[in-house]
Amino acid sequence: ADEDEGVILKKIEALEKSEEIELEDLQKEAVVRAVMNGITVITGGPGTGKTTIINMIIRYFELEGLSISLAAPTGRAAKRMTEATGAEASTIQRMLHLSVSDSDDKGFYYATNEDNPIESDVVIIDEMSMVDLPLFNALLKAIPVGVRLIMVGDTNQLPSVGPGAVLKDVISSGCFTVVSLKKIFRQAELSDIVVNAHKINEGRYPVLDNKSRDFFFLERDNVEHILNNIIHLIREKLPKYVGARPGDIQVLTPMRKGSLGVEALNPILQRYLNPADSSKREYEVRDAIFREGDKVMQIKNNYRLEWEIKSKYGIPIDKGLGIFNGDMGIITEIDTFNETLTVIYDGMRSVVYPFSGLDEIEHAYAVTIHKSQGSEYPAVIIPLLSGPRMLFNRNLLYTGVTRARDCVMLLGSRERIYAMIDNADEHLRYTGLAGSIKEMYG
């Protein structure tokens, strides 16, 4: 039964006491809206309290005896959601039971659909800015009338890799309840990553004086110096500083081409971070050498690729389908006899590639900022020296900076960073979703 706002607020206040959490008024408003509406959008940048709201919504519905499904568009984002909420989150594809089909043109279908819908009472989707149109279409088909849908995301991130601008369109249609979080929380104000991300988003310049504890800038005007600095930072400085392994520190760059693009950086970083060794098997394909211990990324959606999770004793405990564009992992074994290469994604899912399927992965010591969407790394290094103006925009810098949990290191030209912040041009996507929603809701 629909409850009035006063009753819901009393329940939220009781939860605040029992969970020892104090919500701001707008956070309470977000929880109330999520309870009272069938569709709710919660949007905001880093440090604005989205996770706290998701946690409170989960606790509220649990107390009401409702079942909840949590999902995100990528394995990494789902893993982060699980860690942040303590509740099991999956990828949207997994929640929809992605299945192989030989009769379907696409080669796959979702077993959870309009004929076999989701059985939960509440569906919460995080990192909604990464959801493209085909996935959103499949998700909506699987949600029956009466199930609440709560979408959480940051509209200032880059749009999804696939087609559409779903989150922006759902909001701009004006047909649904949207709670927009602007305020940075007290604990987040201590992070210059969060403070500077908001400055960048507002078109203001961050202070680049290196008096910060988590946001640094090294002014360098030559590629050779930048490369030497990157290697030194990953091997020596940053692992100790952020308490992480060198392999967890991510180089992000705006471009694929150029002397500081992905294609030039990866072979150099591989040579220093995972050098050739008689104990490591390797396999050469195209212009690359894959080596055991290499950091790699899946570069296209493969809905039919099988993965499994094994216990520490090597016994399979879970399996499923699908490795997606942007998923990152480590090569653990190269078997030249059987011509296979094994990658473990997200520290869990093991995938065996035949040598003939290696065009789907590439080295990931450096990745484009576009491909890093939805991921979080202990530290990121972003070289910014020269490149095409249209690529170097505010949106891109904001997305790169917000990938870092503990430390951002910018290297290169101060003028280039300022020019990126001044360049508010986004690659506009011409989409019809907002118009279609308006027509339907009249």
Side-chain angles (χ1 to χ4, degrees):
D2 289 336
E3 293 180 287
D4 73 3
E5 208 164 313
V7 175
I8 295 168
L9 273 169
K10 280 203 173 67
K11 288 182 179 174
I12 292 170
E13 280 155 16
L15 263 175
E16 284 182 284
K17 284 200 181 75
S18 65
E19 298 282 328
E20 296 180 351
I21 294 172
E22 201 176 319
L23 296 183
E24 296 268 335
D25 288 348
L26 194 55
Q27 288 183 307
K28 275 187 199 160
E29 164 95 356
V31 180
V32 170
R33 295 288 150 247
V35 173
M36 293 184 75
N37 291 288
I39 295 175
T40 310
V41 178
I42 299 165
T43 178
T48 53
K50 298 192 296 288
T51 303
T52 306
I53 293 168
I54 294 176
N55 281 329
M56 203 51 136
I57 290 169
I58 292 168
R59 302 293 167 266
Y60 186 100
F61 286 130
E62 280 175 347
L63 281 180
E64 297 290 295
L66 300 182
S67 58
I68 306 154
S69 286
L70 306 180
T74 67
R76 278 191 159 219
K79 193 175 171 192
R80 277 173 60 194
M81 198 180 187
T82 300
E83 287 161 2
T85 61
E88 192 59 42
S90 72
T91 61
I92 298 170
Q93 293 90 344
R94 184 112 208 256
M95 180 173 73
L96 300 179
H97 293 97
L98 175 67
S99 307
V100 167
S101 159
D102 290 322
S103 56
D104 193 291
D105 292 345
K106 296 190 295 251
F108 70 91
Y109 68 99
Y110 292 108
T112 300
N113 50 41
E114 58 264 65
D115 301 322
N116 179 32
I118 287 171
E119 290 180 358
S120 305
D121 302 306
V122 181
V123 175
I124 305 176
I125 306 291
D126 198 10
E127 292 286 359
M128 193 59 210
S129 63
M130 297 179 67
V131 175
D132 64 16
L133 268 173
L135 188 58
F136 193 52
N137 181 35
L139 174 69
L140 293 184
K141 282 182 174 169
I143 297 180
V145 173
V147 171
R148 284 185 183 82
L149 174 61
I150 298 158
M151 296 175 271
V152 184
D154 179 355
T155 49
N156 294 303
Q157 297 291 342
L158 291 164
S160 56
V161 175
V166 172
L167 181 61
K168 279 188 173 160
D169 284 354
V170 167
I171 292 170
S172 68
S173 73
C175 295
F176 307 107
T177 301
V178 177
V179 180
S180 187
L181 306 166
K182 298 269 193 290
K183 182 175 183 238
I184 305 177
F185 275 79
R186 286 180 297 277
Q187 63 272 31
E189 280 176 351
L190 302 172
S191 160
D192 287 319
I193 297 173
V194 170
V195 171
N196 286 332
H198 284 268
K199 278 187 177 174
I200 290 164
N201 188 36
E202 290 157 12
R204 296 186 292 135
Y205 300 156
V207 178
L208 301 174
D209 62 3
N210 290 337
K211 289 182 179 161
S212 166
R213 282 193 308 221
D214 61 5
F215 198 98
F216 302 98
F217 168 62
L218 298 180
E219 182 127 28
R220 299 288 183 270
D221 60 4
N222 115 4
V223 171
E224 201 64 37
H225 288 166
I226 289 175
L227 289 173
N228 289 335
N229 285 140
I230 289 174
I231 290 157
H232 184 64
L233 285 165
I234 297 176
R235 283 168 70 174
E236 311 291 336
K237 287 273 192 246
L238 286 175
K240 291 195 285 263
Y241 192 69
V242 296
R245 298 183 311 244
D248 294 331
I249 289 154
Q250 189 60 50
V251 178
L252 300 179
T253 168
M255 307 167 297
R256 287 194 62 81
K257 305 285 181 198
S259 52
L260 290 171
V262 168
E263 291 171 11
L265 285 172
N266 270 314
I268 296 167
L269 293 172
Q270 180 196 32
R271 194 181 331 141
Y272 286 97
L273 302 176
N274 187 31
D277 184 311
S278 58
S279 68
K280 294 182 218 168
R281 284 168 292 193
E282 49 184 54
Y283 178 69
E284 191 166 347
V285 60
R286 303 186 308 279
D287 302 330
I289 295 170
F290 287 119
R291 186 174 293 138
E292 289 174 340
D294 269 344
K295 189 170 169 181
V296 292
M297 172 184 271
Q298 174 81 11
I299 55 169
K300 61 195 222 194
N301 289 342
N302 185 331
Y303 297 89
R304 299 170 68 111
L305 205 50
E306 293 180 19
W307 54 261
E308 63 179 14
I309 297 174
K310 293 179 179 174
S311 72
K312 60 182 178 188
Y313 304 111
I315 298 159
I317 50 176
D318 195 6
K319 63 185 176 98
L321 287 177
I323 295 290
F324 302 104
N325 193 347
D327 284 352
M328 288 172 81
I330 302 287
I331 297 175
T332 55
E333 188 184 358
I334 294 175
D335 182 340
T336 46
F337 180 73
N338 290 308
E339 300 196 344
T340 59
L341 179 151
T342 304
V343 177
I344 293 199
Y345 287 98
D346 304 322
M348 301 181 300
R349 295 175 300 157
S350 172
V351 176
V352 178
Y353 291 86
F355 281 175
S356 59
L358 296 182
D359 57 338
E360 295 197 2
I361 60 171
E362 65 181 26
H363 287 109
Y365 296 102
V367 302
T368 62
I369 294 172
H370 278 92
K371 293 273 195 195
S372 73
Q373 279 170 264
S375 296
E376 183 182 71
Y377 312 99
V380 302
I381 299 172
I382 309 177
L384 298 167
L385 195 55
S386 60
R389 180 184 182 275
M390 57 184 283
L391 263 186
F392 282 67
N393 62 17
R394 184 186 300 173
N395 216 199
L396 197 74
L397 183 60
Y398 174 80
T399 300
V401 164
T402 53
R403 298 308 92 212
R405 192 174 61 236
D406 302 318
C407 182
V408 168
M409 184 69 76
L410 304 177
L411 289 93
S413 149
R414 188 183 296 264
E415 282 66 42
R416 173 58 59 160
I417 292 165
Y418 292 162
M420 279 183 98
I421 295 165
D422 292 340
N423 180 11
D425 297 346
E426 290 178 41
H427 300 301
L428 287 177
R429 291 194 172 183
Y430 296 96
T431 59
L433 180 62
S436 302
I437 293 171
K438 278 185 198 147
E439 274 175 34
M440 285 176 68
Y441 281 77

